[in-house]
Amino acid sequence: MRVAAWALRLAGLGLLAAFLAVPQRFAPLFAPLTEYGAPPIYDQGSLLGLALAHLATVFAATAASAVVAVTLGIFVTRESGAEFLPLSRTLVNVGQTFPPVAVLAIAVPLVGFGEWPTLIALFAYGLLPVFENTIAGLESCPPAVREAADGMGLGARQRLLAVELPLALPLILEGIRLSLVVNIGTATLGSTVAAKGLGEVIIAGLLSNNTAFILQGGLVTGLMAVLLYDAMAAAERRLLKAVRVA
Amino acid sequence: MIEIESLSKRYGATTVVDGVSLTVARGTVAVVVGTSGSGKSTLLRMINRLVEPSAGAVRIDGRDTRATPAHLLRRRIGYAIQGHGLFPHRTVAENIATVPRLLGWDMPRIERRVDELLSLFQLDPGAFRGQYPHELSGGQQQRVGVARALAAEPAVLLMDEPFGALDPIIRDKAQEDLLAIQRRFGTTVVLVTHDMDEAFRLADRVAVMRDGRLLQYDRPAALLRAPADPFVARLAGTADRSLKLLSLVSAGEAAEPGAGDGPTVPASASLRDVLAELIWRGAEAATVVADGRPAGRLTLAAILARGRAG
């Protein structure tokens, strides 16, 4: 079972690396999808460069939403911040329900074309899973454990750092992983407002009616999402073992 | 010594604890009993300021508890609760070491203390130090919880229904262990329970609470002989009070000098148990044995006299 999983992982990673490094080698595979001698492999830029730019955007946006959402989640579960819970929840939910395309449309007039509208859209879109999981994680701390921590004389900060956060960590990490993976897909939309990313390949395919391009953009994005999800899950297990929550 | 002086707690218009005063002498066990909602847990939690009193004062060894910041105060007071509250992500040793660490003990001292406590609670340090709470049985978790509460050698130990979640046989053993350890360290214990048998078994003095008021604070025998209030009488269970009185006295305490015949009973047995043994055997007297040697005798008549009023 484990061997099979590792074989699948390595195969996926190898395929992605090979395709991004020497995409032209895969031309015969995609040629049947093109018509009238159109290029079977995206040729308006480096696929590797686009993939890296795509990832950089997603990582930056997710990191920012993780920091904000975890901080906010901690704040609203403190006694002093409890009254802000409904308001924060509403705001974060708006971030999630507002379609990223709409966020892009609103952001462009404000910050111009390029990476920024995408970063803003992804940031807003990534808040909810982390925020809700942070709250759920912190609230999952058994009341008796919290009471014992108080009763033994841990200060509020000590209780948070030594007890509540370690116990909430599995859920928080899961929320971040979810945000990251969702954002890898969503980030393709950024190319409509001139952010560098794999969306470019898909849009180029749509404009020139080139199915091979569309498939390439989609497959690379999808493969990255699956591999990252898997890698993060593995990293989480290690981290949790290190802090011994698992 | 704990002195509680006209202590009250009000939440808005409701008074949860109403002007309670009582003193727990150093090295004794006070058990607070009452039905749920009687304010007994709130009273306990005001001692270590998990609940801040609305009025009144608590002094521990003469020092007003308000003189120390609450979290520093709590590090000097042991606290054990129902459902133990062990940190699930910490090992047994780390759990026990919580307060000593907060107090900045050095590692060798902490390790010595952890091992000492584990041995005291009949948990082999080598086997249990590195275990996680979820790997332990309910009884073991509870023992680790009490060990953790005692880790920093507190003069005062507060316990809120600490044995409530245990099955009867393990609870019995846990109570026995608590008494042994309490005597060994000379700890002053305040324990909250709704179980009258537990109260009679553990208490030097029992505080009976109802609707936030202290109805009676007295020795267990006095509660049975002279209940201050019909509620106290009902709670104490006066119907079989003669037998309850007998269960408060050990054979060793009641033994008369002289050699007896009939069955032998250990000095630690209660008179109630000795009586049961005599009835069962149809004997008139028993020989009390302490440390393997005869330590006196107990006659049926002497036992019956102990169970009488006055």
Side-chain angles (χ1 to χ4, degrees):
Chain A
M1 197 51 210
R2 289 193 59 157
V3 178
W6 272 107
L8 205 61
R9 242 172 236 155
L10 289 174
L13 195 62
L15 187 66
L16 182 67
F19 185 73
L20 290 177
V22 284
Q24 291 305 332
R25 291 283 178 88
F26 291 79
L29 227 58
F30 287 96
L33 297 167
T34 58
E35 290 171 330
Y36 313 117
I41 298 294
Y42 184 71
D43 55 357
Q44 295 157 28
S46 149
L47 275 171
L48 180 63
L50 287 178
L52 292 177
H54 190 100
L55 283 182
T57 310
V58 171
F59 277 128
T62 311
S65 47
V67 169
V68 171
V70 170
T71 312
L72 198 62
I74 292 172
F75 173 65
V76 297
T77 49
R78 302 303 98 189
E79 223 172 286
S80 52
E83 51 184 314
F84 293 99
L85 178 58
L87 177 70
S88 311
R89 219 170 224 159
T90 311
L91 280 177
V92 169
N93 270 299
V94 167
Q96 180 80 16
T97 42
F98 224 73
V101 180
V103 176
L104 291 177
I106 292 170
V108 167
L110 296 174
V111 296
F113 285 94
E115 313 296 333
W116 279 107
T118 316
L119 284 171
I120 291 170
L122 295 185
F123 168 77
Y125 209 51
L127 283 174
L128 183 76
V130 186
F131 177 72
E132 283 299 335
N133 274 26
T134 303
I135 292 175
L138 290 172
E139 283 177 350
S140 75
C141 180
V145 170
R146 212 172 294 160
E147 162 118 10
D150 287 340
M152 281 188 293
L154 274 79
R157 173 186 291 263
Q158 285 167 325
R159 190 183 77 182
L160 176 70
L161 294 178
V163 182
E164 289 175 294
L165 274 181
L167 293 179
L169 201 59
L171 274 173
I172 295 177
L173 292 175
E174 195 188 285
I176 295 175
R177 172 157 47 110
L178 212 64
S179 273
L180 190 81
V181 168
V182 169
N183 274 346
I184 287 183
T186 314
T188 51
L189 294 172
S191 303
T192 56
V193 293
K196 272 178 81 69
L198 290 164
E200 269 184 56
V201 184
I202 298 172
I203 290 169
L206 290 170
L207 291 177
S208 60
N209 206 9
N210 185 332
T211 315
F213 284 10
I214 299 175
L215 210 60
Q216 279 155 39
L219 282 176
V220 171
T221 310
L223 204 51
M224 284 199 317
V226 171
L227 287 170
L228 258 175
Y229 184 89
D230 184 59
M232 277 199 66
E236 276 169 44
R237 281 195 294 274
R238 293 212 137 181
L239 182 65
L240 294 181
K241 214 173 248 175
V243 296
R244 291 172 306 184
V245 186
Chain B
M1 186 167 76
I2 307 171
E3 294 161 279
I4 296 174
E5 201 181 285
S6 359
L7 204 60
S8 295
K9 180 64 191 178
R10 285 182 289 275
Y11 291 105
T14 9
T15 303
V16 184
V17 173
D18 191 1
V20 171
S21 299
L22 58 87
T23 301
V24 185
R26 177 190 284 270
T28 63
V29 179
V31 175
V32 186
V33 295
T35 49
S36 47
S38 61
K40 55 190 194 300
S41 281
T42 310
L43 178 69
L44 185 83
R45 291 154 58 91
M46 282 196 282
I47 298 175
N48 67 358
R49 288 176 61 197
L50 277 173
V51 172
E52 290 289 349
S54 309
V58 177
R59 281 186 297 278
I60 296 178
D61 293 331
R63 263 176 75 94
D64 194 310
T65 52
R66 285 167 300 191
T68 320
H71 66 287
L72 298 180
L73 172 78
R74 287 181 209 136
R75 291 177 193 175
R76 295 191 293 111
I77 300 176
Y79 188 56
I81 51 178
Q82 181 169 15
H84 62 74
L86 293 175
F87 299 151
H89 60 304
R90 298 278 177 87
T91 62
V92 165
E94 288 167 337
N95 264 290
I96 296 177
T98 306
V99 182
R101 273 201 191 148
L102 289 172
L103 294 174
W105 289 18
D106 57 49
M107 274 319 283
R109 186 177 172 202
I110 293 178
E111 279 166 22
R112 271 202 313 280
R113 182 65 177 161
V114 168
D115 288 357
E116 182 196 1
L117 282 165
L118 284 173
S119 311
L120 253 157
F121 283 92
Q122 289 131 42
L123 300 164
D124 172 25
F128 284 96
R129 236 187 260 124
Q131 299 237 301
Y132 285 91
H134 70 89
E135 297 173 300
L136 309 179
S137 71
Q140 290 167 342
Q141 289 172 339
Q142 191 278 335
R143 275 183 272 169
V144 174
V146 179
R148 182 174 69 172
L150 289 168
E153 298 165 356
V156 171
L157 173 63
L158 308 179
M159 308 180 93
D160 195 348
E161 307 227 6
F163 310 127
L166 303 180
D167 66 59
I169 292 174
I170 296 174
R171 189 186 309 146
D172 222 49
K173 176 88 178 79
Q175 291 166 347
E176 200 175 292
D177 288 350
L178 175 69
L179 280 181
I181 285 160
Q182 184 266 336
R183 282 183 199 126
R184 182 187 163 124
F185 292 134
T187 316
T188 309
V189 176
V190 181
L191 184 144
V192 163
T193 183
H194 60 257
D195 175 352
M196 277 315 284
D197 290 332
E198 181 164 283
F200 280 142
R201 173 149 191 213
L202 298 175
D204 291 302
R205 279 170 185 275
V206 180
V208 182
M209 288 194 64
R210 188 190 196 186
D211 299 332
R213 308 257 293 258
L214 180 65
L215 296 181
Q216 189 168 7
Y217 179 52
D218 220 328
R219 299 188 173 282
L223 241 53
L224 290 165
R225 288 186 195 279
D229 180 277
F231 178 76
V232 177
R234 213 162 63 235
L235 202 68
T238 41
D240 61 345
R241 59 182 155 189
S242 56
L243 292 176
K244 283 201 170 113
L245 280 170
L246 292 182
S247 69
L248 293 173
V249 186
S250 77
E253 287 170 64
E256 303 156 9
D261 41 358
T264 58
V265 291
S268 59
S270 75
L271 289 190
R272 183 184 179 136
D273 293 345
V274 178
L275 177 64
E277 185 68 13
L278 291 178
I279 295 172
W280 185 251
R281 305 252 179 178
E284 288 293 323
T287 306
V288 179
V289 180
D291 301 324
R293 277 196 299 272
R297 63 192 214 109
L298 267 173
T299 61
L300 196 54
I303 295 173
L304 294 182
R306 289 246 178 193
R308 271 180 214 127

